[in-house]
Amino acid sequence: MAAERFYITTPIYYVNYYPHIGHTYTTVIADVLARYKRLDGVDVLFATGTDEHGINIERRARAEEVEPQVWADKIADAFRDVWQRFNISYDEFIRTTEPRHREVVQRIFREARDRGDIYKGKYEGWYCPRCESFYLESDLVEDKRCPVHRLPVEWNAEDVYLFRLSKYADWLLAHIEKNPSFIQPGSRKNEVVSFVRSGLRDLAVSRSTFTWGIPVPDDPGQVIYVWIDALSNYVTVAGYGQDEARFARYWPADVHLVGKEILRFHAVIWPIILHSVGLEPPRQVYAHGWWSFRGEKISKSTGNLIDPWEHAQALARLSGAEVDVCVDAIRYFLAREIPLGQDGDWADESLLNRFNADLANDYGNLLNRTLPLVARYFGGLLPEAGPEEGGDEALRRLATATADEVLAYVDRCDFQRALAVVWQLLAAANKYLDTEAPWNEHKAGRVARAGTILVNTLEALRVATILLEPVMPTATLKVWTQLGLPHYEERARDARAAGRASQGTGLSRLDAQRWRGLSAGVPVALATPIFPRIDLKLALADKNFAATPPVAATSAASPAASPATAPIPAKETSVTEMISIDEFRKLDIRTGKVLEARQVPKADKLIELRVDIGDEVRTIVTGLIPHYQPQDLVGRTIVVLANLQPRTVRGVESRGMLLTAGFDDTFGLLAVDPDKPAPPGAPIS
Ligand code: MSP
């Protein structure tokens, strides 16, 4: 029987801006799932790509004074570049400007029109050019703004083609009912059902006000409007109309992984379009949550972007780890930190903690504790395992059962729990090593027993490493080499160089269910730690590491330069009081903890503070009486400008300034503080 197949997609990303950590999240999660499926022997088709048509991209290209295609080429390259750096093992990268896609889109449009589901009419409504969507008045947020981007919407009326969505509402409701796993997480199902029940309006599927798109067949004054164009990418990749055998094999898709803001398009519009032209809907649409940064969704419009590659490079600088390992650490963080489906706020501190606690301590250190003993006691050759004693059996049972448990969670897209299961095994292996204490056995002359303990520990590590490959495809290769299996690293590197990254090492679930996968007599390779511990204090104080600070939400906004994302030149601004980001970066603003406070003698308003600012304790004088009394401030976290020139006030040298909020004394002055406890010295950016 042919291998089971699995077709997984990410959204295709708009090319109006460079890739950021939000896009990286979806793509990494899809990659992790694709890699776990391959590990399980499944024939995977994994597709991602770029959505290149539409008014926004046309406008964006004009602003840059280039043709839309030139602009699209540049950004599509930036996406491919960053996916390569992040080891995304996609099988297809689809671009909506490809000729094969144009044919598919026109064919779908023509078929739906021939069936009477597309007709010419007028469309009126509140339109958000950034979403390329019409909204009902009731959907808008205050001041008639789009609910997603909070940008002003425009009233739009236009001659367009419309799709009879309403005709299929009952069919869709029945489909959702019959297929309980169609919309995931299940909690989102009701949201879609009530949206459909509230009445579907026919959908504009063409526009006449711009030209950057695929022309409507036989009506060249109209271009096919974004959703038919964009959504159809999923069938183009599967070979629709071009390769019947491939299409029969891969369609329907198993899962469209999307951000929650485009769930409706995928769970309502897309299945209806497919049904209209006689194709099956996808088996599942999985809507994940949003990453925010300081409470605001990370997006092009808010401008609070985190550049994934820059972040990996900064992490590499701070930790001394290789940049590929840091990419893996970010991949791990994305998969582990929040349950798929829920939102999360990006915190570098959490990333660093995971790096230190999970990767450097639990995983990396297990290797670093064991291999030197193999070197010392056995001349660097893996010893033979002897009969089971003590905790051996329990460790073996746990390790060989781990793969099934991990993969069961993966099937539910619960990567957080899947990884927690691997960490249970790592914790058990660390504990086993402590309890069985091979160093004592060796000292007591029981050399063979010491060898068995070391091999068992490394066996558990081998199982964990197989199960971590999908998440950390590069760091795990280094582990293989250290375990005396350098051919895995070579094989995967060759595959990657030949553009076949998806092949990886070729290890499988079966390998992870086996005990004794390591061969006795093989030389292990002692090397520097793969995950060196990071000094948290230094890292958090490092201005270059803190996530990219907000940039203005205009079309001229430019991300910080990196090889993956060359900057778009920013437009000159005429506002003279603006400062540049470089000027802002000169300010050393950070959190501080007030250790002591006392009134400065003979000064009505002044308080002398002793403040821990991370790397030292400073004296700062501040004029806060009567708004605060000295004792109000002790123990509080405040915000300090640390690189202000020292000044002597009433005989006390003040080194730094406490930041306050307030217009004047009528309103009072408030000491600025972070809304959650932050360690002293955390940079404000
Ligand atoms: N082109 C459309 C999708 C068409 S699919 C047929 C589009 N593109 S987009 O560039 O705006 O990308 C949106 C997707 O990027 C989200 O659905 C999500 O997958 C990902 N993310 C963008 N920002 C994100 C966060 N802040 N957090 C998590 N994911 C985010 O919409």
Side-chain angles (χ1 to χ4, degrees), residues 11-14 20 22-23 25-26 51 227 230-231 233-234 258-259 261-262 266 288-291 297-298 300:
I12 48 169
Y13 303 109
Y14 286 132
H20 58 69
H23 307 122
Y25 179 54
T26 319
D51 188 354
W227 289 104
L231 290 161
N233 90 82
Y234 302 131
V258 298
E261 80 290 354
I262 53 175
H266 285 77
H288 67 65
W290 285 345
W291 279 99
K297 184 189 175 216
I298 292 173
K300 294 169 272 223

